[in-house]
Amino acid sequence: MSFKAIFKSIFLLALLSACNKEMPRADLIITNTDIWTGNENQPKAAAMAIAGDMILAIGSTEQVNRFKGATTEIIDAKNRFVVPGFIDSHVHLLMGGNALLSVELRDANTKKDFIDRIARYSETLAPGEWVLEGNWDHTLWGGELPKKEWIDAFTEEIPVVIYRLDGHMVLANSIALSIAGINSQRTDLAGGELVRHPDGSLTGILKGSAMTEMLNAIPPLTASQKQIALRAASDYLLSNGVTSVHDVDSLGTYSAAKELYDAGDLAIRIYAAKPLNRYAEVDFIIAEPLRTAAKKKLDIWLKTGLVKGFVDGSLGSHTAAFKDDYSDRTGDDGFFITKEEDLYTWISAADKKDLQVTVHAIGDKAISTLLDIYHRIILENGKKDRRLRMEHAQHIDPEDLESFAQLGVIASMQPYHAIDDGRWAEELIGSDRIKTTYAFKSLLDNRATLAFGSDWPVAPASPLMGIYAATTRRTLDDKNPKGWVPEQKITAEQGLLAYTKNAAFASFDEEIKGTLEVGKLADFVVLSDDITKMDVFKIREVQVLQTYVGGKKLFDSKGDVVHD
């Protein structure tokens, strides 16, 4: 029997038992509302009853009111729009939490602004404390990569290692490089680059695998620091209507989240990934098959089973791997971060252990290579419900569009990147290749499963902004008012499905969440407006009013985060 059957059977048996005495009573009823359920068999509803953390009834006001009892809390939603809790299919949870607590460089739009922000933040730290995250974007001030010389003078005792917003290059200052033992005598490793001045000295920019030694030199977060970061991340996500995340990092999220769960203070549901190249760790491999892991109560809040790898880097850092050269740099077609033979070995072994595999691939060469590896794995390991995923899938060769559905590969994509990268991407890859870049509509037309996320803190963790991006494709500089590559626009409802039903499917959770149905978890969001009926250009103005997780209101726009 499937977990779905077991889960619903237990719930219904409990109801039947209660019915022998009296009609089951709801703890909470949401009425006078416009509910988009995501359930094709019941697309709309006017009211919803909740018992405990699950949906007891959903339908008309008359149907739902049958479950009202003397102690039932009744909430008049004033005809607001209600949707399932958003599921962000790609976040870096601890990085995001730490970014909220560190210097914010994402919108620094001049060299001076970049320098001044680091200087001001450094003044708040004691000698030896690190400046991390940052998430700068050099395209905002004309494209010049930052240099350690910009910040060395006021950070002599403050190590600085700050990411470019795509996470595929960092700027390290002199003291940080010294701590890591990295100097100009080092040679570049495969899959990486130490950027140098004309005289051969280091600029402080490290790309791809060149970052590894530097990142390993950063002191690991303490358990307390991880919990603080997770709390900050949770509050931020709830304010954006996000109730579940797929955390693609390996920074110790699971253990920190488990401690919060044990204390009764875990506020969002987490599907935590581990590195693909460490699939054999005994503390991670679960003894039972992935499809039955969610039987445990803990796994409704926190579960593992996902392993993540990399093929290439990113477009903005010229580390995404393409079949042809970058349009702005002859002889440069990017590079693979991981050798193809290693990817095959690791993916095959993880798949044999019933782990779900997802791999980062951005350039068309990386995407084609990964699809070929997946095809080989399917042929060799046999058919099963493995739900292979590809993270980003940004720049697809048109010949590969059909392969996603044919192989059952879920395209886990981040639509906000399209309106960000669209400001400059054509300069890097030309007018032909952009036709199938962030190819949301082409993938759906070819019957692929599309799951949306943010890549936070690389981009804002706002599903509404993601849906705005997918439906308008209007770049952040407003220079594409009708949309950048407008033929790849999708509808608001398709965007909603990608952030709810499809995202739940992408983590084997469609039996318990992703749609609002009887017997599923009562995770839902109250929005100020119906985004399926409005001018899509106004979606970014829609507000998240309340966020409920398991029937409990954990965010209210009037009082901000309300959980303990």
Side-chain angles (χ1 to χ4, degrees):
M1 182 181 289
S2 71
F3 172 58
K4 180 178 182 180
I6 294 171
F7 196 78
K8 287 195 172 181
S9 294
I10 293 172
F11 183 65
L12 293 173
L13 284 172
L15 290 183
L16 288 172
S17 176
C19 284
N20 289 332
K21 301 176 182 178
E22 61 179 22
M23 174 75 73
R25 300 304 177 189
D27 297 313
L28 174 68
I29 288 178
I30 308 291
T31 188
N32 187 25
T33 186
D34 177 15
I35 302 174
W36 182 90
T37 68
N39 174 14
E40 60 184 11
N41 296 319
Q42 186 188 20
K44 286 284 190 173
M48 180 166 57
I50 296 159
D53 63 351
M54 298 177 67
I55 298 171
L56 177 63
I58 186 167
S60 68
T61 300
E62 181 181 3
Q63 291 170 327
V64 170
N65 279 342
R66 294 170 54 208
F67 298 90
K68 182 169 63 175
T71 61
T72 301
E73 179 184 3
I74 308 296
I75 295 179
D76 183 344
K78 299 179 181 179
N79 203 34
R80 299 297 193 185
F81 190 54
V82 171
V83 299
F86 291 122
I87 301 171
D88 192 317
S89 299
H90 187 117
V91 300
H92 304 267
L93 198 52
L94 283 178
M95 288 178 64
N98 284 322
L100 293 172
L101 304 171
S102 185
V103 61
E104 174 57 64
L105 300 171
R106 177 65 178 82
D107 58 348
N109 57 13
T110 67
K111 173 181 174 180
K112 183 179 185 302
D113 189 18
F114 173 86
I115 294 170
D116 288 348
R117 292 191 191 194
I118 299 172
R120 288 194 299 268
Y121 182 70
S122 298
E123 290 175 356
T124 70
L125 304 179
E129 290 190 75
W130 291 65
V131 179
L132 304 172
E133 304 305 338
N135 302 305
W136 46 270
D137 180 4
H138 62 297
T139 67
L140 296 179
W141 60 74
E144 180 185 7
L145 289 173
K147 302 174 180 63
K148 59 184 175 61
E149 290 81 11
W150 292 8
I151 59 175
D152 273 348
F154 53 83
T155 59
E156 291 181 353
E157 299 180 281
I158 303 290
V160 178
V161 182
I162 46 178
Y163 280 101
R164 184 186 184 273
L165 58 87
D166 60 10
H168 291 277
M169 68 167 85
V170 296
L171 171 68
N173 68 348
S174 291
I175 186 175
L177 291 169
S178 177
I179 291 171
I182 299 172
N183 55 47
S184 57
Q185 279 67 54
R186 293 293 185 91
T187 56
D188 291 347
L189 300 173
E193 179 186 358
L194 296 166
V195 179
R196 302 172 187 271
H197 291 294
D199 64 2
S201 62
L202 300 181
T203 68
I205 291 291
L206 296 82
K207 297 184 180 183
S209 62
M211 300 188 300
T212 303
E213 194 170 356
M214 182 69 260
L215 298 178
N216 287 340
I218 299 172
L221 296 174
T222 65
S224 175
Q225 288 173 323
K226 290 177 182 178
Q227 289 192 14
I228 291 170
L230 280 179
R231 290 175 190 272
S234 298
D235 291 350
Y236 169 74
L237 291 161
L238 290 168
S239 73
N240 283 290
V242 176
T243 57
S244 296
V245 297
H246 303 169
D247 178 35
V248 296
D249 262 331
S250 57
L251 301 175
T253 301
Y254 188 92
S255 59
K258 177 64 164 57
E259 291 172 359
L260 288 179
Y261 172 83
D262 290 340
D265 200 28
L266 186 60
I268 57 170
R269 307 187 194 278
I270 302 171
Y271 185 31
K274 283 281 189 175
L276 174 64
N277 62 340
R278 290 162 59 189
Y279 63 86
E281 289 185 0
V282 295
D283 66 335
F284 174 59
I285 300 302
I286 48 179
E288 58 186 340
L290 182 62
R291 259 63 71 198
T292 62
K295 289 178 181 177
K296 303 174 184 176
K297 183 177 180 181
L298 166 65
D299 289 337
I300 293 174
W301 281 97
L302 175 64
K303 71 171 189 173
T304 62
L306 179 68
V307 287
K308 183 203 175 191
F310 289 84
V311 184
D312 62 346
S314 71
L315 182 67
S317 61
H318 280 73
T319 56
F322 285 92
K323 297 178 179 180
D324 298 312
D325 289 352
Y326 282 88
S327 301
D328 65 335
R329 192 177 297 177
T330 302
D332 180 7
D333 58 4
F335 49 76
F336 281 9
I337 290 176
T338 310
K339 295 179 181 178
E340 184 175 348
E341 55 267 31
D342 287 339
L343 278 171
Y344 163 73
T345 299
W346 296 337
I347 293 171
S348 179
D351 181 68
K352 288 175 181 176
K353 293 180 180 292
D354 275 339
L355 295 169
Q356 187 182 17
V357 175
T358 191
V359 181
H360 165 125
I362 286 184
D364 56 19
K365 182 179 180 181
I367 291 169
S368 291
T369 299
L370 181 59
L371 289 170
D372 288 344
I373 292 173
Y374 280 166
H375 188 201
R376 181 179 174 187
I377 296 300
I378 293 168
L379 292 175
E380 293 176 356
N381 293 356
K383 292 184 178 180
K384 62 179 176 179
D385 186 12
R386 48 174 51 88
R387 302 190 197 181
L388 296 166
R389 293 171 48 156
M390 184 185 298
E391 301 302 314
H392 307 303
Q394 287 179 3
H395 310 289
I396 307 173
D397 186 318
E399 294 182 357
D400 287 326
L401 285 167
E402 294 181 354
S403 296
F404 284 83
Q406 291 172 349
L407 300 175
V409 176
I410 297 165
S412 173
M413 304 179 75
Q414 302 76 45
Y416 185 92
H417 289 335
I419 62 173
D420 192 353
D421 294 4
R423 295 174 295 125
W424 43 262
E426 188 168 351
E427 296 178 16
L428 273 62
I429 58 175
S431 58
D432 286 334
R433 283 183 286 189
I434 67 164
K435 293 177 182 177
T436 48
T437 191
Y438 298 99
F440 309 134
K441 188 174 187 301
S442 291
L443 284 165
L444 290 178
D445 287 346
N446 281 279
R447 301 185 180 279
T449 298
L450 188 61
F452 276 166
S454 65
D455 205 5
W456 182 63
V458 175
S462 168
L464 288 173
M465 277 303 297
I467 294 171
Y468 166 83
T471 55
T472 69
R473 296 182 71 101
R474 184 172 187 167
T475 51
L476 296 177
D477 57 10
D478 286 332
K479 291 183 178 178
N480 295 272
K482 295 183 179 180
W484 178 64
V485 196
E487 58 270 24
Q488 293 296 346
K489 293 178 184 179
I490 60 174
T491 68
E493 189 154 12
Q494 288 171 326
L496 274 173
L497 288 169
Y499 271 113
T500 56
K501 183 177 182 179
N502 294 355
F505 178 83
S507 59
F508 291 95
D509 285 322
E510 75 277 9
E511 298 165 347
I512 59 171
K513 60 184 174 182
T515 57
L516 298 176
E517 301 179 52
V518 172
K520 288 193 175 183
L521 292 165
D523 297 352
F524 61 94
V525 184
V526 182
L527 301 178
S528 61
D529 301 275
D530 183 346
I531 65 173
T532 68
K533 294 180 180 178
M534 65 191 308
D535 179 349
V536 293
F537 290 100
K538 294 184 178 181
I539 290 176
R540 60 179 171 182
E541 301 172 11
V542 174
Q543 295 179 313
V544 173
L545 301 180
Q546 290 99 30
T547 302
Y548 287 76
V549 184
K552 295 181 179 179
K553 183 167 65 174
L554 298 189
F555 170 79
D556 191 303
S557 61
K558 294 180 180 179
D560 294 328
V561 177
V562 296
H563 69 90
D564 294 331

